[in-house]
Structures are given as structure tokens and as C-alpha cells.
Amino acid sequence: MALAKAATLDNTMGLPCRAERFIAATTHEEIRTALVMAADDAVPLNIVGGASNLLLAPHLPGITLQVACDDWWWEESDDQTVLVYAQAGLSWHALATACVERGWWGIENLALIPGHVGAAPIQNIGAYGVELADVLEAVHVMHCDDGREAVFTRDDCEFAYRDSIFKRALAGRVVVTQVVLRLSRSPSPRLGYGDLAQRVSVHPEVREIFDAVCAVRREKLPDPAVLGNAGSFFTNPVLEATQAERLLQEYPVMPHFQQPNGSVKLAAGWLIERCGFKGTRWGAFGVHERQALVLVHLGGGDRQELLALADHIRDTVYQTFGVALEREPRLMG
Ligand code: EPU
């Protein structure tokens, strides 16, 4: 079993973080041992994936567990369906790449999303018109209190925009160990978002869409290996129709997306840009010059300073538009 020892925790935001006792578990037995250790010693248990959607405290007390099982396999059936089983510690983009290479459709629009497979269901990752919920068959978990294993169907997961039961009722109570996806061998291109359709041929191969999504992301989003960031820092606000209509009278060019239930989703990046933040620098942090929804770490900063900037942006957007932004990455420690 990997020893629980103090470790520096890498995270895409590049925040300094030292975990008191870090365990990278490579088997279910090791995950269970870590859970028992935290319970026996009555210390906090922090569960991390790729640490791409977390804002870590400088010091994480207790046990910090990372699932490091990273195998995957699949079952093909006659009806063009492929069931893909991926363990939680696998890189999401590595899985998306491997599926696209085999000509399977379903997660090509989710290319280049940072983080591990196990984190994908927590916030129901989504991009370019596709959400994990569209292809998810099941999530395998281990309960933290007694180590029992359970399988959640897609309906059990209570998925919504950037949301699931794992962020709510089950937050901190289960460890995701495996995800099962239902992909397809027959073409099912989803090109409705932005200018994706213009970037590919009329009947694109799955690889073309994957490459186009990678290209758009590389144009707009900073590479965490080069510039620290946690992707979108706020979720896109969803408003009642009447509030959205009032705002649209004042700002007719404001991007807005009608939701099936009548509510309206706005683009937080547009609201932040309109407040003049895009491309600005505030000490060690800044607002990305090509996508105002992404806060970037220029180096040497800590979480407190970052949260102060986020509060300032949220307050300014609220004073200007009367819209309350919510933070997307979760605080840990
Ligand atoms: N916009 C601006 N200014 C900006 C950014 C955006 O005016 O600085 C406008 C754009 O012109 C466009 C609209 O806002 O009209 C939407 O922009 P974009 O397509 O870039 O998407 P987004 O809503 O800002 C969401 C996800 C991204 C995902 C993209 C593409 C959330 C919180 N973010 O961003 O997810 O890649 O759509 O599907 O839903 C992530 O979560 O880390 C992430 C990058």
C-alpha cells in the first residue's frame, strides 16, 4: 500500500498546497484502507482527482486520497453500442482520445477537459453542446463510512448543468471509483454549439470534430501547464424569463440561451467582460485575455488573494447587472 506521507499537491491553478498525509490508491483495497485510516484517526478526508477544479488551502490536514486506478476496457454489442468502463484515476482527455481513435462517438466534444475520469460526474462536465450526462451509463462508488460499493445509474446521479448528487447530498460521502459510458459506433455529430459546424466538413468523421474542439479550446483557453487556471471560474447564471427579458431590453446584444424549462442561461464571460475585467491583472492573478470566465495565476499568489479578486468580480457584476455569479471550482481545506 502506498504510504500516507506529507506531499506537495499539484493543482492546475498552481496554488501552493501541502497535504499532511497523501495516499495515491492503486486498488480498491487501498482506497478502503485510506477510508478506515481517516475514520480511526478521526481526521478529515479530502478526496482529489486531477485537482483541476479545486482551490486548495495551503495546508490540507488529515488524509488526502487520490484514486490512482487508471485502467479501462470496453464491451461492444451488435447494435453499434460500445460500453466503456474507465477507472477514476484515468486522465479524461486520454480516455476521450482513445475512444476517438477507435471511431466511437459520444465524447469527442469533451476533448481537452482537464482532470480525471472520476471527477467528471461530480460536476457533470460539459462543453460544446454535450454533457457527460448525455453518454453516462453508470457511476461506481465506494461509501466513505463503511467502504461498501454501489452503482448509480444516470437517473440516480440527479445531473443538471454543472451539478449532480455528488456535489449535494453525497458531497464528501462517496469516492467515485469507476465510470461507465455508452458510446456509439454510428455517427452522431453534435455541431450546434458556436461555430463548430463551420470548422468541420459536412459529414465529419469523429476525429475531425475532436480536432476542431481541441483547436477552439487551444485558441480560447489557457493551458494550465503554461498558465495556472481552473477553467471556468464561475458557472453561467440561469435566470427567470422575466429578469432575463428586463436585462435584454437594456442590453439587446447580450448572449442568452433559452432553456427547456423556460429559464434563460446567460454567459458569465460576457457579463465579466462588460464590466471591464477582461485581460486585467490584479497582483498574482488576472482575468484571461481571451476568455473572461477564466481567472489565471501569474505566479506567487495564494488562495486568499484569488478569492478576493473573485469577490470583487462577483460584486461588480451584481452591482452592474443584478445577477449573482456562483463560483465553479470547489474549495478544499
Ligand atoms: N463571451 C464573451 N466574453 C468572454 C467570454 C465569453 O463575450 O470573455 C461570450 C461569447 O462570445 C459567447 C458566450 O459568451 O457568446 C459563450 O462563450 P463560450 O462559448 O466561450 O462559452 P462559455 O459559456 O463562456 C462554457 C463552459 C466552458 C466550455 C464552453 C464551451 C461553463 C461555466 N463554461 O463557457 O467550460 O468550454 O462553454 O462549451 O459552462 C470549464 O468549465 O472549465 C469550461 C471551459
Side-chain angles (χ1 to χ4, degrees):
M1 149 112 198
L3 282 176
K5 54 184 176 194
T8 298
L9 214 58
D10 284 339
N11 57 99
T12 62
M13 193 41 118
L15 296 173
C17 175
R18 192 90 183 136
E20 190 182 14
R21 292 158 79 192
F22 177 73
I23 298 178
T26 54
T27 64
H28 283 208
E29 243 355 271
E30 288 185 359
I31 300 173
R32 206 168 271 116
T33 305
L35 299 179
V36 169
M37 239 186 235
D40 284 355
D41 298 353
V43 293
L45 173 73
N46 311 299
I47 305 162
V48 301
S52 60
N53 202 44
L54 292 176
L55 304 179
L56 300 169
H59 174 69
L60 279 185
I63 304 252
T64 299
L65 168 67
Q66 183 177 53
V67 178
C69 314
D70 61 358
D71 203 1
W72 74 287
W73 58 96
W74 66 91
E75 272 170 21
E76 292 188 62
S77 60
D78 301 338
D79 67 350
Q80 302 290 312
T81 301
V82 186
L83 284 182
V84 171
Y85 300 80
Q87 291 186 312
L90 185 64
S91 136
W92 173 266
H93 182 65
L95 178 68
T97 307
C99 292
V100 165
E101 274 167 1
R102 286 164 178 78
W104 302 337
W105 294 78
I107 53 174
E108 60 282 1
N109 295 41
L110 304 180
L112 271 189
I113 293 186
H116 289 181
V117 164
I122 311 287
Q123 62 149 339
N124 182 23
I125 57 169
Y128 306 100
V130 174
E131 288 184 340
L132 179 74
D134 299 335
V135 293
L136 185 117
E137 180 76 4
V139 178
H140 294 228
V141 304
M142 191 184 289
H143 282 268
C144 295
D145 55 357
D146 57 6
R148 80 183 183 284
E149 304 204 32
V151 179
F152 283 66
T153 65
R154 180 195 359 213
D155 283 350
D156 295 335
C157 294
E158 297 175 9
F159 286 126
Y161 166 63
R162 291 293 197 274
D163 200 20
S164 77
I165 194 170
F166 307 111
K167 266 174 97 171
R168 296 182 179 275
L170 292 179
R173 295 175 56 191
V174 296
V175 182
V176 174
T177 56
Q178 184 174 300
V179 164
V180 187
L181 306 178
R182 178 176 287 273
L183 305 185
S184 172
R185 282 179 302 185
S186 51
S188 53
R190 275 146 310 167
L191 302 170
Y193 191 93
D195 66 349
L196 206 49
Q198 278 92 67
R199 289 176 175 254
V200 295
S201 59
V202 182
H203 299 293
E205 290 296 325
V206 65
R207 177 88 219 185
E208 253 184 282
I209 300 175
F210 176 86
D211 287 344
V213 168
C214 289
V216 188
R217 288 187 73 98
R218 289 197 174 106
E219 281 164 25
K220 284 195 181 168
L221 299 168
D223 176 356
V226 179
L227 190 57
N229 73 90
S232 302
F233 201 90
F234 300 97
T235 53
N236 284 329
V238 180
L239 270 51
E240 301 267 321
T242 47
Q243 192 190 357
E245 274 158 26
R246 270 200 307 275
L247 275 173
L248 278 164
Q249 275 166 13
E250 205 174 334
Y251 306 98
V253 297
M254 177 175 73
H256 58 286
F257 309 91
Q258 209 68 48
Q259 301 301 292
N261 66 357
S263 60
V264 179
K265 194 192 273 181
L266 304 185
W270 186 88
L271 301 173
I272 296 168
E273 180 174 348
R274 280 295 292 231
C275 289
F277 284 108
K278 195 172 188 170
T280 57
R281 180 172 180 168
W282 304 71
F285 295 93
V287 180
H288 190 50
E289 58 196 9
R290 291 194 298 276
Q291 166 56 287
L293 196 47
V294 178
L295 301 192
V296 294
H297 184 186
L298 300 137
D302 63 16
R303 186 172 75 170
Q304 211 180 347
E305 192 183 348
L306 171 62
L307 292 178
L309 171 59
D311 281 350
H312 177 52
I313 292 172
R314 213 192 39 214
D315 292 348
T316 309
V317 167
Y318 189 75
Q319 281 154 19
T320 311
F321 298 102
V323 174
L325 295 184
E326 282 183 28
R327 191 183 58 241
E328 194 201 90
R330 291 179 303 143
L331 301 186
M332 181 168 284

